[in-house]
Amino acid sequence: MGQTSLDKIIALQKNPANIRNLCILAHVDHGKTTLADCLVASNGIISSRLAGKLRYLDSREDEQMRGITMKSSAISLHYSDRDQEYLLNLIDSPGHVDFSSEVSTAVRLCDGAIVVVDAVEGVCPQTQVVLRQAWLENIKPVLVINKIDRLIIELKLTSQEAYTHLQKILGQVNAVTATLFTSRVLEERAEKEKEKEEEKESETSSGEQVYDWSAGLEEADDSHLYFSPDQGNVVFASAIDGWGFSIQQFAHIYSQRMGIKAEVLLKTLWGDFYLNAKAKKIMKGAQAKGKKSLFVQLVLDNIWSLYDAVVTRRDKEKVEKVVTSLGVKVMARDSRHSDPKVLLSAICSQWLPVSQAVLSMVCEKLPSPLDMAAERVEKLMSVGARRFDSLPKQTQELKRVFLQCSSEENAPVIIFVSKMFAVDTKALPQNRQRPLTQEEIAQRRDLARQRHADRIAAGQPAEAAETAESHTHSGSTPQEGQPAGPCTAKMESLPVKESKPEEEEEQKETFIAFARVYSGVVKKGQRVFVLGPKYDPAKGLNMLPEGCSASDCVSEVPHLSCCSMESIYLLMGRELEELEEVPAGNVLGIGGLEESVLKSATLSTSPACPPFTPLNFEASPIVRVAVEPKHPSEMPKLVRGMRLLNQADPCAEVLIQETGEHVLVTAGEVHLQRCLDDLRDRFAKIEISSSKPIIPFRETVIRPPKVDMVNEEMGRQQKVAIIHQVKEEASQGRSSDTLHVDPSGLVTLTTPNRLATVSVQAIPLPQEVTSLLESSSELIRTLEQVNMSLREGRGLDVSLRTLEAIAELKAQLENLLQGRKWRNAVERIWAFGPRRYGPNILLNSVEGYQRPSVWQYLGRGDKAAEVGAQAPVLRDFDNSIISGFQLATLSGPMCEEPLMGVCFSVVRWDIQSSAPPQHQDSLEEDLVSHEALADSKVAGGSVTSAQAEGTAVGQSQARRRPEAMSVDCYGPVSGQLIAAMKEACRHAFQAQPQRLMAAMYTCEIMATAEVLGRVYGVLGKREGRVLHEEMKEGTDMFIIKAVLPVAESFGFADEIRKRTSGLASPQLVFSHWEVINSDPCWVPTTEEEYLHFGEKADSANQALKYMNAVRRRKGLYVEEKIVEHAEKQRTLSKNK
C-alpha cells in the first residue's frame, strides 16, 4: 500500500465509527516497536525491508543506542479492509519498568490495546502490570504472541511441543485477566451484600447470614474477557520475520481447499480436535488418541517445514516448490542473499503479512470511540472522593455528549491532555524546509544570476567612491548633523545581532500537548478553559455567569484558567503535520499550552466539565539526586532547564530542598540517566554535576529484642542493664532538672520557663497498622481537612463514599490495635504525622483531658442533639503539642530522616496557667504582664506598667473569648511548648531500641540455569534476599524474585548483565520499607558479645554505615575515629 496523503487522513478523522485509538503494551524486549514498524511499513512510510531494524517510533538517540523505548509516541495509519476504510491512531509505549508512567499516559487516550507477549518468556512482571493498567482504564485488549520463530530456531521445539507451549502462555495471560475480574466481582458483591445487610438489619439477626462468595462469580459473565484464537482476538506472529496470522486466515484458506465450512474450521482449528482422514471428518479427542491436533497439522507444520527448508537446511529445490505452491514472487537478489532470513521474510511477508493479521483483528475486535462504555465515562468524570451522582446536573448531562462522541458545532469541546512532550522548534511543520518545485528552483536561479550581474556592474564605481570617502573622513569623527558612516552603522547594529541568537536559543524546545478529543471539534486558535485537578464544577457554575465562554476573562474561579490552542498537529511518529481542525474521537498534538498546562490537564469550552481522574502511575519516583551547574554563573539556566524537564516528563519531580539543593526525583536508574542527559543536552544546555543518589531512610523503634547480637537468649537482668545503659547515654550531658527519663522509657520534660511539663512515651506500632496508615495517607489528609474546617466553623461537603472509607479505616485500626496497652487507643488519637497524614500516631493519654476526636465528623449525625455542655473542648496550646509532634516525626534523632511506625503517647501535660476558672484570669494577667516586662527588658527597651497592663488585659480578653481556638498561639509559652514537645518525643524515641528502615525494591530476574549461581552471588553481595525461584515450564529459564535495598541497587543491573554475559536482566520496582535488623548504636555488653566482637566491636555494621552516610551528607556530626594509632611508622630502610 502506498503512502497515505494528509487529505485522506483528514477525511477519515471525520468518521468516528471507523477510528481505532490503540496502544501497544508489553514487557521490555517483547517486540512492541518491531511490531509497530511492521504496521508503519504497511502504510509505505518506511520500507518493509527495514521494518524491525529501523525502529521508526524510537526517535531519540538514546532509545536507538539502548534498544529500548523510553517514551510513548503516536502515529496515524490508514487501513482498508474490504469496502471499509479505517484510521488507526497507534501509540507505541515503553516496556521498561522505569517508564511505566509513559504507559499510563498512552493507555488513557486509547479505547483498545495490543498486548504483546514473547513466545519464549511468556507472561513477565511488566506484562501483568500493563494488563492491570488496561483493566483499570476499562480498555479492551487483544493479544499478539510474538517471536514464535524463537521456538523453532532457539528452543528447537517440534510443532506439537510448540502447540502445548502456546496453550500454556495463553493460559497464563488469561489467568492474569481472571484475577483482575474476580477481584472486581468480589468487590461489587461485597458492596451489594452491605446494602442488603443494612436493609435486612431490622428483620434478621446478623448471626444467621452466610456469605456465599461463589454465587457472584458464577452469575457474572466473563467469557468475552479472555483471549482465545477461535474468538479472533489472538494473533500468532514473528514481527522480525514479518509474518503473523490469526486462525480466521487459515480457516478461510482451508475451507476452499477441503470443502469444510469456514465456521466449523474456526471452532475446531484451536482445541483438542483432529482430522480423521478416512472418514474426512473433524473429530474431538486428539490428545487422548495420540493424534496431531488440527492446529499443528494444518498451521504449525507448514510454518515449521518452511523454516526447515529456508533457514535450517537451505534446500533450494524445496524452497522453489514452496514458493510456487504459495504463489508468491521472490526477487532473484533475495533468493541469492547469503542470509537465509532475508529470503524467509520475503516469502512470509507475502504469504502471511503480520500487518494484515494485526490490523484486521484490531478493526474487528477493538471498540471505536462511539462504543465507549458508560462505566468508563463515569469513572473518568468522578474525580477524587466525589461520586458521579453527586456532580451538578449540567455535568451529568455531559455524559451523553461523551457517549455520542459528537462533532457538531454546538457540542462542547472536551479534551484530555495526558502529557507534554518537547519538540525541537526546527521540527515543527511551519519551520520545516519543504522541497522546492521546478518553477521555484528556476526562479531562484534567475534571481541569483541577476544579483551576480548587478554586483559586477556596481563593483567599479563603488570602489572609487569608497576610496574618496576614506580620504575625506581620515582622522575625523562624524559630526552630529552628519549621517554616520557605514562602519559606525555596522557597530551599532552589532549588539542587536548578538542578542537575537540568545532569544532563539531560548526557544529551541517547543512543548506539544499529547491529547485526545472526547467531544466537539477542536479548531486552531480556539480558546478553552483549563480545569485544574482540584476544580469543582459546582463552584465554577455558581461563580460564573450563565453562558460564559472561555474568551471571557475568569480570574476569580479557583483552579480554572483560560488558554488558546495556537496550533493543532497530527502526530506521525517523528513528524508532525499541521491541521486546521480535529473532530471528536481523535488523538492529536496541541501547541501553545506550555504556559497553562504542567503535565496533564482537562480542557473544555464548558465550565460544567469536571477534571478527569488523575492517571494511575504504577512506579513511584524514589531515586533522588541533587543537581548543580559546573559553573555557578549558569544557575538560572539550570533552574529553567529543570522547570522544562519537569513539564516534559510525566514521572520526574523537581524539588528545591530546605538546604537550597535542586533535587531531581526519578523512577529508577535508567530513568535518572535519561533525565540527566535531557537536562544536559536539551533543556539547560550546560555542564551539570549530580550528586550520588540521595537514598531515603525512615527511623523507627521496635520492641526490646529477645536475643543479643550473638543469638544468645537475653537474661532479665542483662536486658534491664542494656536499657539502663542506653538511658544513661541518652541523658548524659543534658540538664537533669528539666529532663527526666524513667526506666520504662517515659520521658518527662519541663519548658525552660518552668510553666509547662509534658511526659511522653514512644511505643512501636504493629507492622500492619503502619502499612495501613501509609496506604491511607490520602484518606487521612481528607479527614484532617474535614476536622480543620469543623474547627474553623465551616461546613465541608463530603461524599458518602469518603465517609464510608473513613469509617472503614477506623474499624480496621480498632481491629488491628488490640490488647491491654491499646485499649480505646483509636478514640484517643490526637493527630497523625508527619505533615498531619503520615504513618505515626500521637495518642492522648492525659487523665481528665477529653478533646474532640479526630473521628468527630463520623458521629455528627447521631450526636447532633447532644452538642452543648457535654461537647469536649480543646485545651489552650493544644496546637503547640501537635506542632511539636509534627516536627519530631519529620526529622528523627538518628539522622534527621522522617519517623515511621511510632506511636507517641502523651501521659501528662501540665500548664500552670490553666488554674481553676475563678482564679484563671488573675493568674494569666499576672503571667502575661511578667512575660511582657521580661520580653521588653530583653529587647533593651523600657515599658511602663500601664502599657504592660494594657497588653495583659488585651491578651486575657483574647483568651476569654470562647471562639478563640488557642490562647496566644504565637507567644513565648507556645513556642517553648512546641520545642519541649519535640525534644520530649526525640528523647522518648531514643529511650526505646531504635532502628533504621530502608526502602526496598522487589527485583524480578529471568535467567538461565547456567548463570543462576552468578545472579545469587551479585544479590548476596548487595544485601539482597531471595524470596523464591521457579522454573518456567517448557523453557530453561528461571524466574527469581528477590528484595534488594534501594541503597544497594545502583549499578546492580549493569553488574548482573556483566556477570551473566547479558543472559539475565533485572526489573526493579519500589515495594516497601523494611527494618534493618542491626542496631546502629549497638555496643557490646554481654560476655559473649565481647568475646565475639572484641572490645571495640569495629566490625561492619550495615545500619551504622547507612546512618553515618546520611549524617555526613546532611552535615551533621559523625562519631568516627580518623586516626587509630598516631605513632610514626618506622621503616627498615637505612635512613631512619
Side-chain angles (χ1 to χ4, degrees):
M1 198 159 95
Q3 195 163 350
T4 314
S5 68
L6 184 61
D7 302 333
K8 180 81 181 167
I9 287 180
I10 292 169
L12 288 168
Q13 282 187 336
K14 295 190 171 103
N15 177 13
N18 282 6
I19 294 173
R20 301 286 182 270
N21 296 316
L22 65 139
C23 51
I24 303 184
L25 308 174
H27 186 81
V28 68
D29 281 339
H30 277 201
K32 290 179 298 302
T33 310
T34 309
L35 179 65
D37 264 10
C38 294
L39 304 185
V40 170
S42 72
N43 267 226
I45 296 168
I46 61 170
S47 156
S48 56
R49 288 173 175 280
L50 292 174
K53 301 176 186 73
L54 189 64
R55 300 207 307 281
Y56 182 71
L57 292 178
D58 285 357
S59 50
R60 292 171 57 100
E61 196 182 332
D62 48 1
E63 287 182 317
Q64 291 286 351
M65 276 171 61
R66 280 181 183 268
I68 59 169
T69 308
M70 294 187 184
K71 52 144 194 22
S72 45
S73 44
I75 191 162
S76 294
L77 304 175
H78 165 228
Y79 173 67
S80 41
D81 184 20
R82 300 182 197 94
D83 52 344
Q84 293 283 340
E85 295 204 332
Y86 294 93
L87 174 69
L88 304 164
N89 295 316
L90 177 77
I91 305 175
D92 182 27
S93 65
H96 195 286
V97 66
D98 282 13
F99 306 107
S100 60
S101 56
E102 291 278 350
V103 178
S104 308
T105 62
V107 165
R108 171 58 63 89
L109 303 185
C110 295
D111 303 308
I114 300 174
V115 177
V116 183
V117 176
D118 187 326
V120 174
E121 293 180 7
V123 174
C124 293
Q126 210 56 25
T127 316
Q128 296 177 9
V129 169
V130 295
L131 280 166
R132 185 163 68 248
Q133 278 178 315
W135 177 264
L136 289 172
E137 288 286 353
N138 281 48
I139 71 169
K140 189 175 179 182
V142 289
L143 183 67
V144 172
I145 298 182
N146 192 20
K147 303 194 182 184
I148 290 187
D149 58 301
R150 288 182 68 190
L151 301 179
I152 308 172
I153 292 167
E154 282 180 33
L155 298 188
K156 295 191 167 47
L157 300 183
T158 63
S159 50
Q160 185 63 48
E161 288 165 344
Y163 172 62
T164 316
H165 183 74
L166 291 172
Q167 279 182 313
K168 279 179 189 159
I169 287 177
L170 214 50
Q172 289 168 3
V173 180
N174 286 334
V176 177
T177 314
T179 314
L180 296 166
F181 173 73
T182 310
S183 61
R184 189 177 71 182
V185 169
L186 295 185
E187 271 172 29
E188 285 171 4
R189 183 155 165 75
E191 278 176 24
K192 281 178 193 166
E193 285 292 338
K194 213 176 192 180
E195 285 165 20
K196 279 183 193 169
E197 207 176 294
E198 283 164 11
E199 287 168 19
K200 291 181 186 174
E201 221 160 45
S202 52
E203 299 167 26
T204 58
S205 62
S206 57
E208 291 171 23
Q209 290 203 340
V210 177
Y211 283 98
D212 177 21
W213 291 109
S214 59
L217 284 172
E218 282 163 13
E219 288 161 20
D221 176 35
D222 57 349
S223 58
H224 61 283
L225 291 175
Y226 299 123
F227 300 108
S228 173
D230 52 3
Q231 281 191 17
N233 57 4
V234 180
V235 160
F236 302 95
S238 165
I240 198 78
D241 289 341
W243 62 266
F245 63 89
S246 61
I247 278 185
Q248 278 79 344
Q249 284 168 282
F250 275 99
H252 185 66
I253 294 167
Y254 283 113
S255 68
Q256 293 168 341
R257 280 196 192 172
M258 298 164 66
I260 300 173
K261 285 181 187 173
E263 296 81 47
V264 176
L265 276 171
L266 258 180
K267 286 176 186 166
T268 55
L269 257 177
W270 182 263
D272 194 23
F273 298 96
Y274 72 97
L275 185 66
N276 188 332
K278 286 179 186 173
K280 290 201 173 176
K281 278 185 181 175
I282 294 173
M283 302 178 89
K284 205 170 170 44
Q287 203 172 352
K289 293 173 184 167
K291 303 274 187 184
K292 267 191 184 178
S293 67
L294 270 185
F295 187 71
V296 176
Q297 192 177 348
L298 303 184
V299 181
L300 293 185
D301 278 352
N302 291 324
I303 294 168
W304 256 246
S305 60
L306 176 65
Y307 268 83
D308 181 56
V310 179
V311 182
T312 318
R313 292 205 212 146
R314 303 198 184 184
D315 186 340
K316 281 189 181 174
E317 287 174 17
K318 197 171 179 189
V319 170
E320 279 168 22
K321 270 187 193 171
V322 169
V323 168
T324 47
S325 68
L326 292 175
V328 295
K329 289 177 183 173
V330 178
M331 291 167 77
R333 67 170 181 184
D334 288 340
S335 53
R336 286 202 303 267
H337 203 286
S338 59
D339 183 4
K341 281 286 185 115
V342 173
L343 174 59
L344 182 76
S345 58
I347 297 170
C348 291
S349 57
Q350 292 176 62
W351 176 38
L352 299 170
V354 64
S355 55
Q356 173 73 29
V358 172
L359 295 178
S360 63
M361 170 174 75
V362 161
C363 296
E364 209 175 300
K365 293 293 167 189
L366 294 187
S368 72
L370 293 175
D371 305 329
M372 191 187 269
E375 184 190 355
R376 185 180 179 201
V377 175
E378 287 185 20
K379 211 171 175 184
L380 284 177
M381 290 172 80
S382 44
V383 68
R386 295 179 70 92
R387 287 173 82 146
F388 183 72
D389 323 336
S390 67
L391 293 167
K393 201 94 196 112
Q394 286 149 288
T395 306
Q396 291 191 34
E397 281 168 17
L398 286 176
K399 177 180 167 184
R400 186 178 49 80
V401 181
F402 257 94
L403 295 171
Q404 284 175 351
C405 189
S406 67
S407 302
E408 293 163 17
E409 284 298 317
N410 58 356
V413 173
I414 302 172
I415 304 167
F416 182 73
V417 174
S418 72
K419 70 164 183 170
M420 302 290 283
F421 63 96
V423 173
D424 196 330
T425 314
K426 289 177 190 164
L428 293 178
Q430 55 264 43
N431 304 338
R432 206 169 46 222
Q433 289 183 335
R434 57 186 180 80
L436 300 173
T437 59
Q438 288 298 325
E439 293 83 27
E440 285 173 325
I441 292 170
Q443 273 179 335
R444 287 194 179 192
R445 194 188 299 121
D446 295 342
L447 270 170
R449 280 176 181 162
Q450 186 68 42
R451 221 178 289 127
H452 186 63
D454 293 349
R455 208 180 293 125
I456 291 168
Q460 290 153 352
E463 277 170 28
E466 268 176 34
T467 49
E469 206 171 292
S470 62
H471 280 298
T472 50
H473 286 296
S474 58
S476 70
T477 55
Q479 284 145 23
E480 282 178 25
Q482 272 184 335
C487 294
T488 40
K490 270 183 197 168
M491 287 297 284
E492 280 168 14
S493 69
L494 264 177
V496 181
K497 276 185 186 168
E498 276 177 5
S499 68
K500 264 187 185 170
E502 276 182 29
E503 285 169 28
E504 280 172 21
E505 194 178 44
E506 273 186 22
Q507 294 303 317
K508 269 285 167 66
E509 296 290 336
T510 306
F511 277 94
I512 304 240
F514 190 41
R516 171 172 169 184
V517 192
Y518 284 93
S519 157
V521 180
V522 180
K523 291 180 178 158
K524 191 175 172 181
Q526 190 174 13
R527 280 189 73 75
V528 285
F529 292 117
V530 179
L531 316 172
K534 291 183 183 172
Y535 169 70
D536 185 357
K539 254 187 213 167
L541 289 168
N542 289 340
M543 293 174 82
L544 290 170
E546 245 185 72
C548 172
S549 73
S551 46
D552 313 326
C553 188
V554 282
S555 52
E556 70 280 355
V557 183
H559 310 295
L560 182 72
S561 60
C562 288
C563 70
S564 67
M565 298 181 279
E566 288 167 18
S567 41
I568 295 171
Y569 301 107
L570 174 71
L571 303 166
M572 290 295 289
R574 304 179 185 190
E575 314 276 314
L576 294 166
E577 298 289 348
E578 201 165 12
L579 301 174
E580 289 303 312
E581 62 174 45
V582 174
N586 285 288
V587 173
L588 78 163
I590 307 171
L593 298 182
E594 52 256 56
E595 297 303 318
S596 21
V597 176
L598 179 64
K599 292 186 185 216
S600 67
T602 311
L603 313 177
S604 178
T605 50
S606 157
C609 179
F612 284 17
T613 45
L615 298 163
N616 300 308
F617 286 151
E618 288 287 334
S620 50
I622 185 101
V623 181
R624 297 166 173 248
V625 290
V627 184
E628 59 182 21
K630 281 267 173 72
H631 308 293
S633 60
E634 293 178 326
M635 195 68 189
K637 282 187 181 175
L638 176 75
V639 172
R640 190 179 151 278
M642 287 187 85
R643 197 183 73 239
L644 294 177
L645 174 69
N646 184 34
Q647 195 168 8
D649 196 304
C651 192
E653 289 175 17
V654 172
L655 320 163
I656 297 178
Q657 287 196 318
E658 297 90 343
T659 52
E661 287 177 305
H662 287 75
V663 174
L664 181 62
V665 194
T666 58
E669 231 179 323
V670 184
H671 186 208
L672 170 68
Q673 196 55 53
R674 189 195 79 170
C675 288
L676 290 175
D677 288 346
D678 273 357
L679 200 56
R680 199 175 286 119
D681 305 331
R682 291 180 72 180
F683 300 127
K685 292 199 170 72
I686 54 169
E687 281 297 306
I688 54 171
S689 55
S690 55
S691 69
K692 281 184 178 170
I694 300 168
I695 295 122
F697 287 96
R698 295 284 182 267
E699 301 179 22
T700 190
V701 291
I702 59 165
R703 287 179 171 176
K706 299 240 181 344
V707 293
D708 61 11
M709 290 291 280
V710 284
N711 287 342
E712 290 282 334
E713 187 74 31
M714 284 191 180
R716 186 86 192 131
Q717 300 80 14
Q718 286 174 322
K719 198 192 293 185
V720 172
I722 291 167
I723 291 171
H724 271 303
Q725 181 191 356
V726 172
K727 306 269 172 21
E728 282 160 25
E729 283 174 12
S731 57
Q732 264 173 13
R734 295 182 180 87
S735 51
S736 54
D737 52 341
T738 57
L739 172 71
H740 173 70
V741 182
D742 195 285
S744 66
L746 182 71
V747 172
T748 308
L749 202 126
T750 312
T751 54
N753 61 11
R754 300 283 192 281
L755 290 180
T757 308
V758 283
S759 298
V760 181
Q761 186 166 16
I763 310 162
L765 281 174
Q767 175 64 46
E768 299 82 16
V769 176
T770 310
S771 15
L772 175 66
L773 292 177
E774 204 182 6
S775 58
S776 315
S777 59
E778 282 300 318
L779 197 59
I780 296 170
R781 193 186 289 185
T782 312
L783 179 67
E784 183 58 40
Q785 285 169 350
V786 170
N787 287 337
M788 198 168 274
S789 62
L790 280 178
R791 282 200 292 274
E792 289 168 8
R794 291 185 292 112
L796 192 70
D797 178 37
V798 180
S799 76
L800 194 64
R801 191 187 289 180
T802 311
L803 278 178
E804 282 171 10
I806 292 173
E808 195 179 330
L809 173 68
K810 185 184 175 185
Q812 282 176 301
L813 281 172
E814 280 170 347
N815 186 29
L816 292 169
L817 293 173
Q818 298 284 347
R820 192 171 50 82
K821 66 174 177 181
W822 297 113
R823 191 173 298 141
N824 208 14
V826 179
E827 283 298 335
R828 291 186 286 125
I829 291 176
W830 198 328
F832 299 94
R835 299 191 179 89
R836 295 184 178 265
Y837 57 86
N840 302 288
I841 293 178
L842 179 66
L843 270 193
N844 170 20
S845 305
V846 182
E847 275 183 36
Y849 178 31
Q850 287 290 322
R851 68 183 299 283
S853 160
V854 288
W855 314 104
Q856 59 184 336
Y857 196 79
L858 291 177
R860 274 177 87 209
D862 320 336
K863 298 174 186 171
E866 294 176 28
V867 176
Q870 300 167 1
V873 188
L874 288 175
R875 255 168 82 169
D876 302 342
F877 303 117
D878 181 275
N879 253 344
S880 302
I881 294 285
I882 294 177
S883 301
F885 162 72
Q886 299 295 349
L887 286 170
T889 50
L890 191 59
S891 54
M894 291 163 78
C895 51
E896 303 294 323
E897 288 287 305
L899 303 189
M900 189 170 187
V902 184
C903 169
F904 290 108
S905 175
V906 182
V907 179
R908 175 176 155 217
W909 172 31
D910 302 333
I911 292 191
Q912 285 184 22
S913 60
S914 54
Q918 60 267 34
H919 308 297
Q920 193 165 353
D921 287 346
S922 60
L923 181 65
E924 280 179 5
E925 279 170 30
D926 189 41
L927 268 171
V928 173
S929 58
H930 275 286
E931 280 167 24
L933 283 166
D935 287 355
S936 60
K937 280 172 192 167
V938 170
S942 63
V943 70
T944 60
S945 60
Q947 277 176 314
E949 269 174 39
T951 51
V953 170
Q955 289 191 10
S956 67
Q957 277 173 354
R959 288 178 194 206
R960 252 178 265 144
R961 278 211 311 273
E963 68 267 15
M965 282 295 161
S966 59
V967 184
D968 189 21
C969 62
Y970 300 114
V973 179
S974 165
Q976 288 194 4
L977 187 56
I978 291 175
M981 180 63 191
K982 180 187 170 188
E983 283 306 307
C985 286
R986 287 176 81 113
H987 287 305
F989 181 90
Q990 286 174 307
Q992 301 293 336
Q994 47 193 351
R995 295 285 186 273
L996 267 186
M997 292 182 88
M1000 303 297 276
Y1001 277 139
T1002 49
C1003 165
E1004 299 233 4
I1005 307 169
M1006 292 190 70
T1008 51
E1010 58 264 24
V1011 295
L1012 214 52
R1014 294 177 207 167
V1015 170
Y1016 277 90
V1018 176
L1019 277 169
K1021 193 175 101 181
R1022 290 176 175 265
E1023 308 286 328
R1025 193 173 74 251
V1026 175
L1027 300 179
H1028 64 81
E1029 67 162 59
E1030 58 182 53
M1031 192 169 188
K1032 240 189 161 43
E1033 284 183 64
T1035 67
D1036 59 345
M1037 302 291 279
F1038 281 84
I1039 299 179
I1040 303 154
K1041 194 166 186 179
V1043 286
L1044 181 79
V1046 173
E1048 301 289 343
S1049 69
F1050 301 99
F1052 173 71
D1054 283 346
E1055 189 179 354
I1056 272 212
R1057 273 197 287 273
K1058 278 177 195 163
R1059 293 286 301 276
T1060 61
S1061 313
L1063 289 173
S1065 58
Q1067 289 261 312
L1068 300 169
V1069 187
F1070 174 68
S1071 160
H1072 64 287
W1073 295 91
E1074 196 172 280
V1075 177
I1076 302 172
N1077 286 327
S1078 50
D1079 180 1
C1081 308
W1082 176 79
V1083 284
T1085 48
T1086 63
E1087 201 174 325
E1088 288 88 351
E1089 286 176 345
Y1090 270 118
L1091 283 170
H1092 193 277
F1093 292 101
E1095 197 175 326
K1096 289 197 287 287
D1098 49 7
S1099 58
N1101 177 342
Q1102 198 64 32
L1104 183 65
K1105 189 178 87 178
Y1106 290 149
M1107 186 177 92
N1108 284 346
V1110 175
R1111 291 185 73 91
R1112 208 173 282 115
R1113 176 170 58 77
K1114 293 186 175 180
L1116 304 170
Y1117 169 68
V1118 178
E1119 191 179 325
E1120 57 183 348
K1121 288 177 183 171
I1122 297 171
V1123 178
E1124 190 77 15
H1125 302 292
E1127 297 94 21
K1128 180 184 173 190
Q1129 181 187 356
R1130 298 188 67 198
T1131 58
L1132 297 177
S1133 61
K1134 286 176 184 176
N1135 51 345
K1136 286 176 184 169

